[in-house]
Every structure is written in structure tokens, then in C-alpha cells.
Amino acid sequence: MRAPPCSATREGAHVLIDTYGRVATDLRVSLTDRCNLRCTYCMPEEGLQWLAKPDLLTDDEIVRLIDIAVTSLGIEEVRFTGGEPLLRPGLVGIVERVAALRPRPQMSLTTNGIGLRRTAAALKSAGLDRVNVSLDTLRPDVFKTLTRRDRHKDVLEGLEAAREAGLTPVKVNSVLMPGLNEDEAPDLLAWAVEHDYELRFIEQMPLDAQHGWKREGMITAGDILTSLRTRFELTPEGDEARGSAPAERWLVDGGPHRVGVIASVTRPFCSACDRTRLTADGQVRTCLFATEETDLRAALRSGAPDEEVARLWRLAMWGKKAGAGLDDPGFVQPDRPMSAIGG
């Protein structure tokens, strides 16, 4: 493989470019593979075998890698994910240290919301800009069935705490599952508009630990939009407003509220992808559906200087594939589930 070019960007940084000309400016960092829910589309009821603590990146290693990404590789946005990132004991300190980097990246966090009531204010003070909260249903009984935990009230309170702390816009991510919550799209949108949250529906993806995902019967973007239009007028924002964002967005009843749909399966957006991913154990992934990883943890722990770590990262991204390949006959679901690689 040819070495990646070192085209300069801002302040002497070098971009994470691939052979298709896409430049990664958005870094997703998984802080832990652990989660306090057991969502049916993510992991089995008994949970998974978690990563051993020595395999996880330390707080210092996480901050160092983000520093390299921001100051040497042109990263502009950092999203903290999991598993459930609020389970990471050093989260507030990590956010505070990343906020001190120059140039300062935009920072967000994807969470199930259970711990937000007690942490939202501290995260805002540390420098976090906003949150994405996963909530698939307004019905406590359906929530318990989907997540195998009775924590619906905690998520709603966490959402309120995030809004009150100023972690806005508060985005809500919802996955619709056949036979459980497939009829809730209009109700979820009405509720989001009422509470000033930005709702985004996400097609279920083949990232479950059980490898039980099937395209047949899944709730598609088309299904969701048809359901929403029974109660709302949706006006598309268009590709120019979307940019490289994964969500297609529509104005709701003329605005100002919006609703988004992330259609990774039926309307893939790989050609505009600007993301690079770092797992909790220090592996670079070029795509959620990648079957290969590049080990940066080993480089850090062997004493590699920042320049060498940056070179390995650029090389990994240079080899990024054109697309996720969900429609390819030979598509193979990644061995590592969503909880291990970060959303």
C-alpha cells in the first residue's frame, strides 16, 4: 500500500485522508465496553465478557491520543461513546483536559442517559458541549422489554438535566423494532418537539452481539417517514445543509424543530463519511463495519513518539474502504458488537 500523503491543513496539522479523498475530522472515542442496559439489538440478556482493565486505555492514554488527533491530524470534533461512557470513572476529568487542548475540539457524548441527572452539570462545567441520548420508546413497559432494565424514568430525568445544564441541542436517538415500538414514531416526534429535543431515528444495524440481525422485517427510513407524515408535514433540508452528517433532516411543520433519520442500511452515506473511531482498548477503526483494526495502544505502551502514532493513524485511514458493504453478497458482520467499538 502506498503511504498516505501529508497534505497540510490548519496550523501545520496533517489530515486523515483516504484514497477516495475523504478527510476525517470527527473522532469517536469509546471509553468503555460496559453498559448498564441490555438492549435487545445490542447484547444478550446475560451481557458480554468485558474487556479486562489492563486492556483498556488509561485516562492519560485517551487524552494523549485525542491530543495527537487534534493537534497533528486535523480532528475538529470528538464524540465520547461506549458502551455507556458515564460508567467511566474519569470521564469529567477527560472532558476537562480535552477542553484545554488548542485548537479546542467540539465535544459531545452519546449516552443512555441513566447517569445524566447526577453528571450533566459537572460535564457542562468541564467543557462538554452537548449530548445524544438513546431513548427508543415513551412507554415504560416497552422500555423494560427492549433494555431488560426498569430505568425509563431515569432516562427522562437525565434528558431534563442535560437540557437544564445547557448541553444543547439535546439529541435523542431512537431505534424502532418490529413488534415492539414500530408504531411510536409520531408520538416520539410530538414529545421531542414539546420538550425541545432534536429527535433522530436510526435504522437497526448489523452490530448486535448475537448476530441475529436480519434485513427482512427491519423498520426502514421509508417506513419511518411514512409514519411521521401521517401527523406532520416534513420539509427536507437538503444535501447542502446536511454536509457530512449521518442524519438526513427534515423541518417539522415548517420549523424550527427538526427530525433526522440515519439510514445506514437503506440509504448509506459512506461517500461523505468524515469519521475515525477509537475503541476502548486503543484500536483505530475506519468504519463501524470494519473487520480490521490498527493497534495504537501497543504503540503507546512501547514508547512510540507522537509522530509515530500519528503516522500509524494516517496509514490506517488511508486504507479505509469505499463503503460499509452491507449490500455486498460477501458482507461479514464484525465480530465486535456495537458496545465494544462505540457508536
Side-chain angles (χ1 to χ4, degrees), residues 23-341:
V23 176
T25 58
D26 185 334
L27 169 61
R28 308 294 171 97
V29 181
S30 175
L31 298 179
T32 179
D33 60 328
R34 296 174 183 263
C35 189
N36 42 11
L37 296 179
R38 297 291 182 271
C39 296
T40 56
Y41 51 78
C42 187
M43 67 174 69
E45 185 171 4
E46 65 273 15
L48 299 168
Q49 183 173 347
W50 308 124
L51 291 167
K53 188 172 182 180
D55 292 336
L56 294 171
L57 293 174
T58 66
D59 292 1
D60 286 345
E61 288 170 336
I62 289 170
V63 174
R64 182 183 170 195
L65 286 173
I66 296 174
D67 188 355
I68 292 169
V70 168
T71 60
S72 300
L73 297 172
I75 290 298
E76 300 172 354
E77 299 179 41
V78 176
R79 170 87 62 87
F80 297 108
T81 70
E84 174 45 53
L86 295 183
L87 295 179
R88 178 89 188 197
L91 172 61
V92 173
I94 291 171
V95 170
E96 190 170 35
R97 292 169 67 183
V98 174
L101 297 177
R102 294 296 178 268
R104 180 198 187 280
Q106 287 291 304
M107 285 186 292
S108 58
L109 177 137
T110 296
T111 171
N112 62 32
I114 289 175
L116 267 181
R117 181 176 58 179
R118 68 176 185 276
T119 57
L123 287 168
K124 179 64 177 179
S125 296
L128 191 70
D129 294 300
R130 62 171 190 82
V131 293
N132 287 41
V133 179
S134 298
L135 181 66
D136 303 320
T137 178
L138 299 177
R139 305 167 185 164
D141 59 325
V142 175
F143 181 92
K144 188 174 181 179
T145 299
L146 274 168
T147 67
R148 304 184 179 103
R149 298 291 186 270
D150 190 11
R151 306 298 297 272
H152 190 256
K153 181 173 180 288
D154 295 313
V155 179
L156 295 180
E157 291 177 350
L159 279 160
E160 292 175 4
R163 186 184 59 209
E164 291 169 2
L167 292 169
T168 54
V170 175
K171 296 184 179 180
V172 176
N173 296 338
S174 297
V175 177
L176 298 183
M177 300 289 290
L180 287 172
N181 62 339
E182 62 187 303
D183 62 333
E184 285 198 68
D187 290 340
L188 281 163
L189 182 52
W191 165 82
V193 168
E194 178 185 354
H195 291 85
D196 202 25
Y197 303 140
E198 184 174 322
L199 180 63
R200 304 177 338 154
F201 292 98
I202 304 176
E203 287 183 337
Q204 184 196 5
M205 295 179 283
L207 291 168
D208 57 308
Q210 310 92 300
H211 286 206
W213 178 88
K214 289 182 174 56
R215 183 185 291 265
E216 301 79 18
M218 66 170 286
I219 310 303
T220 68
D223 297 330
I224 294 165
L225 293 170
T226 296
S227 179
L228 291 176
R229 287 183 170 122
T230 64
R231 285 172 55 181
F232 301 95
E233 179 184 345
L234 303 181
T235 306
E237 280 195 325
D239 291 340
E240 185 175 346
R242 180 183 184 183
S244 60
E248 295 180 76
R249 297 200 307 180
W250 288 262
L251 292 173
V252 179
D253 291 339
H257 293 96
R258 295 171 172 82
V259 63
V261 178
I262 299 177
S264 301
V265 178
T266 63
R267 302 184 186 182
F269 39 87
C270 302
S271 63
C273 181
D274 67 348
R275 283 164 289 290
T276 182
R277 301 175 183 276
L278 186 65
T279 68
D281 54 350
Q283 311 300 306
V284 168
R285 294 181 64 87
T286 60
C287 174
L288 275 175
F289 303 102
T291 55
E292 299 175 346
E293 299 177 335
T294 298
D295 189 356
L296 296 188
R297 183 190 64 194
L300 292 181
R301 294 182 181 178
S302 66
D306 288 358
E307 294 77 10
E308 173 61 12
V309 175
R311 185 190 71 81
L312 290 172
W313 206 330
R314 287 197 300 270
L315 190 61
M317 293 305 294
W318 184 242
K320 184 173 182 174
K321 295 180 179 179
L326 295 181
D327 291 324
D328 296 343
F331 172 75
V332 177
Q333 184 171 337
D335 289 333
R336 303 184 82 180
M338 176 75 81
S339 60
I341 60 182

